[in-house]
Amino acid sequence: MIRDTDGRTLGYASHTPREWVPREAFYAAYRSDEVLFAHYRATEEGGVVLDTDSDTDSPAGELPWQAAPARDAKEPVRPLFFDAHGTEHGIELHVVGEKPLVVDGARFARFMETLRDPAQPPAPVVLVACETAKIRSGDGGSVATDAARAIPGRLWYAPDTEVGHAGPSNGSNGVTGVLGLLADPVTQRRGAWIVAGEPLEGHRSGPFPLLQVLNVHLREEFGVMNLVRGEFSRFQRRGRHFHDAMD
């Protein structure tokens, strides 16, 4: 279970005890209004550095589920985090004494339903898992859109590239941590936080006016609207190096 600096439950994680130690420290200092995301790029030496070369936007920004709600919106539901290793094909769930079980987006969505109070509206899910919003070349889907299609009525936030955790830099003006997105090593295109699905009517789950892009295929075939922030792109897989190296 993930807890923030005030001891409140943020969500869940699925890692080995060794992998969880640095991640636990990151969340132990987490305050919802004091964590940013930043863009990183790989170096030829095998490390990662802040991506400050682009003149199109800032190397850091506000996480999409954090912004203040609209004045006429109901009280927003706190997002539920799930931190694990992931790829464009699925999410790893660790089972004690056995090899990790990789589940696809649909099965993961059904798993998340078992963890929520049915009397409460479904909280948005933040997948801190690499490439879970990355488009698959075979069918044009992603883990996040598969989850949204399987269980309608909640929002899913996920990265379309590798994601990692980092502590605050010097002079960070109150920032308690950073969720870093790694640029594609070949094209150097930056990653993005993508939102998929739609909330139940009458419950505000999205934190700010989202760019609403209608996915025609999902609408016609499954009756699901896919909300997208940013653009999808195809990336080469770099394994879990960045996810682990930043922790």
Side-chain angles (χ1 to χ4, degrees):
M1 187 170 289
I2 303 174
R3 299 188 186 279
D4 66 10
T5 188
D6 296 321
R8 293 176 297 188
T9 299
L10 278 176
Y12 304 90
S14 183
H15 288 289
T16 65
R18 180 183 62 82
E19 290 175 332
W20 175 237
V21 170
R23 293 166 172 84
E24 183 178 29
F26 172 86
Y27 290 111
Y30 184 94
R31 292 186 184 277
S32 62
D33 58 346
E34 295 177 359
V35 174
L36 301 177
F37 84 89
H39 295 284
Y40 290 80
R41 57 181 173 82
T43 65
E44 294 182 357
E45 294 76 23
V48 294
V49 295
L50 278 170
D51 181 5
T52 58
D53 293 338
S54 174
D55 58 2
T56 59
D57 56 1
S58 169
E62 188 177 50
L63 291 162
W65 55 88
Q66 289 178 336
R71 288 183 302 173
D72 59 348
K74 292 186 177 182
E75 185 68 18
V77 180
R78 287 170 55 87
L80 188 66
F81 286 72
F82 198 94
D83 194 304
H85 288 301
T87 71
E88 66 268 35
H89 300 293
I91 296 173
E92 283 190 7
L93 299 180
H94 284 264
V95 181
V96 177
E98 300 183 22
K99 292 182 179 180
L101 175 67
V102 178
V103 298
D104 60 25
R107 286 194 292 171
F108 184 76
R110 290 191 283 271
F111 166 71
M112 290 299 294
E113 281 295 290
T114 69
L115 301 178
R116 81 174 184 91
D117 182 352
Q120 300 296 322
V125 175
V126 178
L127 292 175
V128 188
C130 294
E131 300 181 337
T132 42
K134 178 182 176 181
I135 288 294
R136 294 185 297 266
S137 59
D139 61 5
S142 70
V143 172
T145 56
D146 291 346
R149 183 178 64 205
I151 306 291
R154 78 191 313 168
L155 291 176
W156 299 80
Y157 295 91
D160 66 356
T161 185
E162 292 185 46
V163 61
H165 317 72
S169 60
N170 292 332
S172 56
N173 296 323
V175 173
T176 59
V178 173
L179 288 170
L181 298 179
L182 185 67
D184 174 70
V186 176
T187 67
Q188 295 302 305
R189 180 194 177 279
R190 291 178 170 184
W193 285 98
I194 305 299
V195 59
E198 59 183 347
L200 290 175
E201 186 176 354
H203 293 288
R204 177 181 172 83
S205 296
F208 63 89
L210 298 168
L211 174 65
Q212 300 189 14
V213 178
L214 182 62
N215 184 311
V216 176
H217 173 71
L218 287 180
R219 181 184 65 179
E220 294 179 350
E221 294 296 323
F222 306 104
V224 175
M225 180 179 289
N226 176 33
L227 305 178
V228 177
R229 179 178 185 267
E231 297 178 348
F232 287 103
S233 185
R234 297 177 180 177
F235 290 88
Q236 293 184 343
R237 176 74 186 151
R238 284 175 46 85
R240 58 183 65 175
H241 168 73
F242 179 64
H243 190 268
D244 289 339
M246 285 190 64
D247 296 319

